[in-house]
């Protein structure tokens, strides 16, 4: 067969095929050849331009990784894959619309422009210089080839140029900015009359009939949500370690191995600390020169060190082991020989010179003293090696099992039960959203399968199944009667307070003196961000129209009190014509206007585009 291949490779047909490949490669490149044979499918077409499935899946993967990286504890089960795919496709369609618009405007970058941009990007530099290896590895870690990255830059740069041009073109009239700042800096003088809930308590009454009527009219508010009772198995590193028995021979060997580490070393250091600054190097050089000339480290510490406590003791810091000092300080200290002085060391406290005064080591604790600790360490170390193996076994057996009893017995684990888990979760481990979502999935809830093995914490994994499903049901009236009564009392109190406040306001506006209204509290020249009165009152104060000859009246009502407000005077805010505040507001408003115009431009292009989805 090999001989036949060799002979056919020299034939006319083979030469024609090779010739066609060379021509195709020279015109379209390798991607076109491979794509031509593979018939790469598209996920959408925008004005005749395809968005390929390969590009779509790559961006979906990148977006998934981006959303995972924003989680405090990354958990793939927490990702909504359908939403990610929808968001990515929409963004790719919008991107294609913008790219086509940029091309129509004749905006493009040549290869030299792209090279210049890439070499200036700091993520591709080492020691301030472009590094090709760093560039290639970074791009590959993004899931892209070098060619793909260059093409993506070519597209995004011109799109960003259009965006920047529109956003930066936003304008705002100076007078508008001035008036807005004047309003923002405005102050108001007013009086407040407080009406406590106790003032209307005798008018508030809630009957059993009121409670029952509210219960019937708002039955949806008293539904107990659907819930499940679940069986589950928890696999944890801690529990696995507790099940491991360490024999005496293992313990002795581990003790012998650790004995050198068990002897703690402490070092006594002295230091001279000066402030970081433009003259720090010069000051340190002067100190080092005087040390070289034979002057005392302790005397120089008293003269120069800004650590006043240790300076009084000649810079002495006493004995300390590892983990006490800043990392750079500790690294320098533990590299010194007794009596040796370090080079200048920079930390967040300043610049140090460190002298090692003495070293002392404690005796190795006996095995009897360390036995309990060493058994725990050794068991946890062995459990860590075993955990991944047991986790894989549990994942496989739970996936194929009809219950959890078999996998639990096989691996020596316990099946536990949790009741009343809603779609919002329950007690741990069902406070994990990914586990709850799987528990209520169609496969688990309706088809009766086990969930996947979900990592709910560091070295803690859970697999669960539904034991019983409870439909949503209406709570009995007796269970919610007190809750309803409290709600109605609060509502009626608020209504009574509002009515009382409205009556007082009406009397004041009619120039009548309300009876038994109590004392007014006066406030002069308060700004919008004042904390002298509550936010509800302040909001009402600044929403009232400017008074003319007479005060303007209003009210603010909360659950436990009401306030009648009399606005007496409005003072316009001061605005400096060329002040920093006015300039910043102008720039902010112009930026908002530019962003609004760019959003409208994007929507205009999107509405005109012809988009087809298979």
């Amino acid at each position: 067969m090999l001989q036949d291949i060799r002979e056919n490779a020299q034939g006319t047909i083979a030469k024609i095929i090779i010739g066609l490949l060379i021509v195709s490669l020279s015109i379209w490149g390798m991607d076109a050849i491979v794509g031509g044979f593979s018939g790469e499918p598209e996920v959408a077409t925008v004005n005749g331009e395809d968005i390929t499935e390969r590009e779509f899946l790559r961006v979906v993967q990148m977006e998934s990784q981006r959303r995972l990286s924003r989680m405090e504890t990354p958990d793939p089960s927490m990702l909504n894959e359908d939403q990610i795919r929808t968001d990515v496709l929409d963004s790719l369609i919008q991107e294609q619309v913008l790219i086509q618009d940029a091309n129509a405007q004749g905006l493009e970058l040549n290869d030299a422009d792209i090279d210049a941009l890439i070499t200036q990007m700091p993520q591709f530099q080492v020691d301030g210089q472009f590094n090709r290896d760093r560039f290639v590895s970074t791009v590959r870690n993004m899931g892209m080839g070098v060619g793909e990255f260059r093409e993506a830059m070519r597209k995004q740069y011109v799109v960003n140029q259009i965006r920047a041009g529109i956003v930066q073109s936003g304008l705002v009239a100076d007078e508008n900015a001035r008036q807005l700042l004047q309003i923002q800096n405005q102050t108001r003088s007013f009086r407040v009359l407080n009406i406590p809930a106790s003032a209307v308590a005798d008018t508030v009454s809630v009957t059993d009939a009121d409670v029952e009527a509210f219960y019937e009219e708002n039955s949806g508010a008293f539904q107990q949500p659907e819930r499940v009772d679940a069986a589950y198995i928890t696999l944890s590193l801690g529990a696995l370690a507790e099940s491991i028995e360490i024999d005496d021979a293992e313990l002795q060997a581990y003790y012998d191995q650790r004995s050198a580490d068990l002897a703690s070393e402490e070092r006594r250091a002295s230091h001279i600390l000066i402030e970081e600054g433009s003259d720090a190097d010069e000051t340190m050089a002067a100190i080092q020169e005087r040390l070289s000339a034979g002057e005392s480290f302790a005397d120089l510490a008293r003269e120069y060190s800004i650590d006043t406590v240790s300076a009084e003791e000649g810079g002495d810091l006493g004995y300390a082991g590892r983990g006490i000092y800043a990392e750079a300080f500790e690294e320098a200290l533990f590299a010194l020989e007794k009596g040796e002085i370090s080079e200048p060391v920079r930390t967040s406290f300043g610049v140090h010179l460190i002298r090692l005064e003495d070293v002392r080591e404690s005796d190795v604790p006996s095995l009897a003293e360390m036995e309990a600790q060493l058994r725990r360490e050794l068991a946890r170390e062995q459990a860590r090696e075993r955990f991944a193996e047991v986790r894989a076994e549990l994942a496989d057996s739970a996936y194929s099992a009809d219950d959890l009893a078999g996998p639990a017995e096989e691996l020596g684990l316990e099946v536990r039960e949790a009741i009343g888990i809603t779609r919002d979760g329950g007690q741990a481990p069902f406070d994990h959203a990914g586990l709850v979502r799987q528990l209520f999935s169609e496969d688990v809830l309706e088809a009766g399968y086990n969930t996947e093995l979900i990592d709910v914490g560091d070295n803690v994994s859970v697999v669960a199944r539904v034991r019983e499903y409870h439909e949503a049901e209406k709570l009995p009236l007796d269970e919610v009667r007190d809750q309803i009564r409290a709600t109605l009392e609060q509502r009626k109190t608020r209504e009574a307070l509002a009515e009382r406040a409205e009556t007082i306001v009406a009397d004041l506006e009619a120039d009548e003196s309300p009876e038994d209204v109590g004392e007014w509290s006066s406030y002069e020249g308060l700004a919008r961000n004042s904390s002298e009165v509550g936010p509800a009152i302040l909001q009402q104060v600044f929403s009232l129209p400017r008074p003319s000859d007479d005060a303007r009246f209003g009210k603010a009502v909360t659950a436990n009190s009401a306030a009648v407000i009399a606005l007496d005077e409005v003072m316009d805010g001061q605005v400096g014509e060329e002040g920093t505040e006015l300039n910043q507001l102008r720039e902010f408003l112009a930026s908002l206007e530019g962003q609004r115009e760019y959003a409208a431009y994007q929507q205009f292009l999107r509405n005109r585009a012809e988009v087809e989805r298979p």
Side-chain angles (χ1 to χ4, degrees), residues 93-242:
I93 290 172
Q94 186 65 60
E95 179 187 68
Q96 185 61 242
V97 168
L98 293 170
I99 290 169
Q100 291 173 6
D101 177 61
N103 292 337
Q105 295 188 45
L107 298 174
E108 62 178 354
L109 288 181
N110 58 37
D111 289 343
D113 294 330
I114 295 174
D115 289 340
L117 287 172
I118 290 174
T119 55
Q120 292 171 12
M121 296 174 73
Q123 56 266 48
F124 302 143
Q125 295 182 356
V126 175
D127 296 330
Q129 299 293 322
F130 173 74
N131 184 283
R132 178 172 175 76
D133 292 338
R134 171 72 65 85
F135 167 63
V136 173
S137 64
T138 302
V139 169
R140 286 177 178 170
N141 287 337
M142 295 167 61
M144 303 175 70
V146 170
E148 287 179 300
F149 180 79
R150 290 173 62 86
E151 187 61 27
M153 281 200 62
R154 190 191 306 274
K155 294 176 180 177
Q156 286 300 319
Y157 186 81
V158 294
V159 168
N160 288 339
Q161 289 293 95
I162 294 176
R163 178 184 181 279
I166 295 176
V167 170
Q168 292 172 9
S169 68
L171 296 174
V172 61
D174 287 350
E175 185 59 27
N176 290 347
R178 189 177 296 105
Q179 288 180 359
L180 184 60
L181 188 58
Q182 193 176 49
I183 293 171
Q184 178 63 33
N185 292 342
Q186 187 183 93
T187 59
R188 297 191 168 201
S189 297
F190 56 94
R191 290 163 289 137
V192 175
L193 175 65
N194 284 305
I195 307 170
S198 58
V200 297
D202 57 345
T203 67
V204 175
S205 175
V206 176
T207 66
D208 289 342
D210 293 333
V211 172
E212 292 168 7
F214 186 87
Y215 176 74
E216 294 300 330
E217 292 168 5
N218 300 274
S219 57
F222 304 108
Q223 290 283 334
Q224 185 171 10
E226 61 177 334
R227 60 202 188 283
V228 297
D229 299 335
Y232 67 100
I233 296 174
T234 300
L235 174 66
S236 70
L237 181 66
L240 199 59
E242 290 177 3

Side-chain angles (χ1 to χ4, degrees), residues 8-17:
N8 289 332
Q10 304 301 320
T12 302
I13 295 176
K15 291 178 181 178
I16 292 173
I17 293 173

Side-chain angles (χ1 to χ4, degrees), residues 331-399:
E331 184 178 343
L333 174 61
F334 279 82
L336 295 174
E337 298 293 334
K338 186 175 178 179
E340 188 178 2
I341 300 174
S342 71
E343 292 298 315
V345 176
R346 282 176 160 81
T347 71
S348 59
F349 300 101
V351 188
H352 310 254
L353 277 183
I354 307 166
R355 174 184 166 91
L356 177 59
E357 304 292 349
D358 193 17
V359 178
R360 69 183 183 190
E361 294 185 357
S362 63
D363 295 332
V364 179
S366 67
L367 176 57
E369 293 175 304
M370 298 294 296
E371 180 176 356
Q373 176 186 333
L374 295 181
R375 283 189 186 277
R376 285 194 300 270
E377 289 180 7
L378 191 52
R380 195 165 183 85
E381 185 177 314
Q382 293 182 8
R384 188 172 288 108
E385 297 172 359
R386 175 83 174 126
F387 182 79
E389 180 183 346
V390 176
R391 187 190 181 284
E393 292 175 6
L394 178 57
D396 290 341
S397 60
Y399 179 80

Side-chain angles (χ1 to χ4, degrees), residues 28 56 118 165 206 307 493:
W28 295 291
F56 170 69
I118 290 174
V206 176
D307 179 0
T493 298

